[in-house]
C-alpha cells in the first residue's frame, strides 16, 4: 500500500513511520510519500495561505499549491482524503475499507482550512478523528495512517492480531500485567499465573465486560445483543453482569 501525504510540515511524520510501520516500509509492505505543499507555491516566499474572502479570522490554504501538489502524485487516480473536523468520524468500516486500497492520498489542512474549490475539484472524502479541533491535520492524518496500516496484511503478525485489539473485539481491553509478580505490595492476579488457559481467558472476558459496562455502556449493550452464541462458561460470566 502507498500513502501520499500532502502537508505543510513533513518533518512531523517520522513519529508515525518508525516502529511497526517503519519495519513494514522496509519490507515494502507500506510506502509513504510526504509532499511539502510549499514546494509548489509560485510565491517567492513559498507562501501557501491567504486571507479568506468575506472576512473572518485566520488564513486559508490556497488552491494553487495544493492542486499542483495533488497533480504531482496523480492523486485523482486514487482516493483522496481530507482530514477535517467537519468530516465523517473514522470507524472500523472506514479503516478496513481504506486498508484494501493500493494507494490513497491524505491532505492535511491547516489554519482555517483549505479553499473549498480544492475539495470540490478533486471530489475529496472528508474524515475526522473526533469532535474536537487540532492545530492542523497532521496529527489526525497520523491517526488515520496508523489505524489503516495495522489492517494491511503483513504489517502485524496476522489479521487476527489486529482484530483482537480492544474495541474491534466488541469490548474494551482487560488489565495487563508483567513481571515481577509482586511490585510495591501489589500482586498479579493469581489466575494469570496458574497456567490454565481457559480460566485465564474467562478472567479476561470478565474484566473486559466490567470495564466496558462502566466506561462504554452502549458498547456493552451492543456486545450482549450480538453474542447470543457464547459457550456455556462464557455465558455464565456474562450473566453476572445481566442480573
Amino acid at each position: 500500500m502507498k500513502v501520499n501525504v500532502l502537508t505543510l510540515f513533513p518533518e512531523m511524520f517520522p513519529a508515525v513511520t518508525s516502529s511497526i510501520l517503519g519495519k513494514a516500509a522496509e519490507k515494502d509492505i507500506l510506502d509513504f510519500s510526504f509532499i511539502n505543499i510549499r514546494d509548489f507555491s509560485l510565491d517567492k516566499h513559498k507562501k501557501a495561505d491567504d486571507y479568506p474572502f468575506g472576512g473572518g479570522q485566520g488564513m486559508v490554504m490556497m488552491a494553487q499549491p495544493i492542486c499542483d501538489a495533488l497533480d504531482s502524485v496523480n492523486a485523482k487516480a486514487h482516493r483522496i482524503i481530507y482530514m477535517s473536523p467537519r468530516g465523517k468520524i473514522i470507524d472500523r468500516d472506514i479503516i478496513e475499507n481504506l486498508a484494501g486500497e493500493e494507494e490513497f492520498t491524505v491532505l492535511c489542512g491547516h489554519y482555517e482550512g483549505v479553499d473549498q474549490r480544492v475539495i470540490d475539484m478533486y471530489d475529496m472524502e472528508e474524515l475526522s478523528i473526533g469532535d474536537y479541533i487540532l492545530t492542523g491535520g497532521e496529527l489526525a492524518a497520523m491517526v488515520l495512517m496508523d489505524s489503516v496500516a495495522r489492517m494491511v496484511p503483513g504489517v502485524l503478525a496476522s489479521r487476527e492480531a489486529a482484530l483482537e485489539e480492544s474495541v474491534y473485539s466488541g469490548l474494551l481491553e482487560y488489565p495487563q500485567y508483567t513481571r515481577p509478580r509482586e511490585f510495591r505490595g501489589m500482586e498479579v492476579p493469581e489466575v494469570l499465573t496458574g497456567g490454565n488457559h481457559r480460566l485465564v481467558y474467562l478472567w479476561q472476558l470478565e474484566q473486559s465486560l466490567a470495564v466496558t459496562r462502566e466506561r462504554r455502556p452502549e458498547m456493552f449493550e451492543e456486545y450482549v445483543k450480538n453474542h447470543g452464541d457464547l459457550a456455556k462458561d462464557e455465558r455464565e460470566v456474562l450473566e453476572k453482569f445481566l442480573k
Side-chain angles (χ1 to χ4, degrees), residues 37-98:
I37 296 170
R38 295 186 194 277
D39 291 342
F40 296 85
S41 174
L42 300 179
D43 180 79
K44 65 179 181 179
H45 301 296
K46 298 301 180 182
K47 183 179 179 181
D49 61 286
D50 208 337
Y51 294 101
F53 280 113
Q57 296 183 350
M59 307 291 276
V60 175
M61 292 175 65
M62 301 164 65
Q64 175 271 313
I66 299 174
C67 290
D68 286 353
L70 287 166
D71 292 343
S72 75
V73 295
N74 193 26
K76 280 191 174 181
H78 307 282
R79 290 171 68 176
I80 309 174
I81 308 299
Y82 171 46
M83 304 308 301
S84 164
R86 71 183 186 188
K88 183 177 181 180
I89 295 178
I90 61 174
D91 58 16
R92 175 176 171 178
D93 289 340
I94 290 173
I95 290 167
E96 288 192 322
N97 190 263
L98 274 172

Side-chain angles (χ1 to χ4, degrees), residues 88-236:
K88 183 177 181 180
I89 295 178
I90 61 174
D91 58 16
R92 175 176 171 178
D93 289 340
I94 290 173
I95 290 167
E96 288 192 322
N97 190 263
L98 274 172
E101 299 288 336
E102 292 184 2
E103 181 175 346
F104 66 92
T105 297
V106 183
L107 170 62
C108 302
H110 226 78
Y111 312 120
E112 296 303 311
V114 307
D115 190 309
Q116 182 65 36
R117 289 170 293 187
V118 176
I119 299 170
D120 296 340
M121 194 179 305
Y122 288 82
D123 193 25
M124 294 183 175
E125 301 175 48
E126 296 188 58
L127 296 180
S128 170
I129 62 170
D131 292 330
Y132 46 87
I133 305 299
L134 300 172
T135 304
E138 284 76 16
L139 292 175
M142 292 182 202
V143 170
L144 180 71
M145 292 162 60
D146 189 88
S147 58
V148 170
R150 293 171 59 84
M151 291 292 186
V152 175
V155 173
L156 297 184
S158 66
R159 176 175 170 77
E160 288 70 25
L163 294 179
E164 286 175 1
E165 294 282 0
S166 192
V167 181
Y168 292 151
S169 70
L171 295 171
L172 298 180
E173 191 170 28
Y174 47 82
Q176 297 276 14
Y177 300 88
T178 188
R179 292 182 291 183
R181 289 180 61 171
E182 186 275 332
F183 179 68
R184 294 186 179 180
M186 299 183 70
E187 296 188 357
V188 174
E190 186 174 351
V191 64
L192 300 180
T193 65
N196 188 318
H197 297 299
R198 188 61 182 177
L199 290 181
V200 169
Y201 165 74
L202 293 174
W203 178 88
Q204 292 171 340
L205 174 61
E206 182 174 6
Q207 296 297 311
S208 287
L209 287 166
V211 71
T212 304
R213 187 177 68 168
E214 176 187 353
R215 301 179 186 179
R216 295 286 299 276
E218 81 288 352
M219 184 184 291
F220 177 83
E221 292 176 7
E222 189 70 16
Y223 180 88
V224 172
K225 183 173 66 176
N226 294 328
H227 289 76
D229 57 346
L230 296 174
K232 181 180 178 181
D233 52 3
E234 295 172 326
R235 171 57 57 180
E236 289 174 352

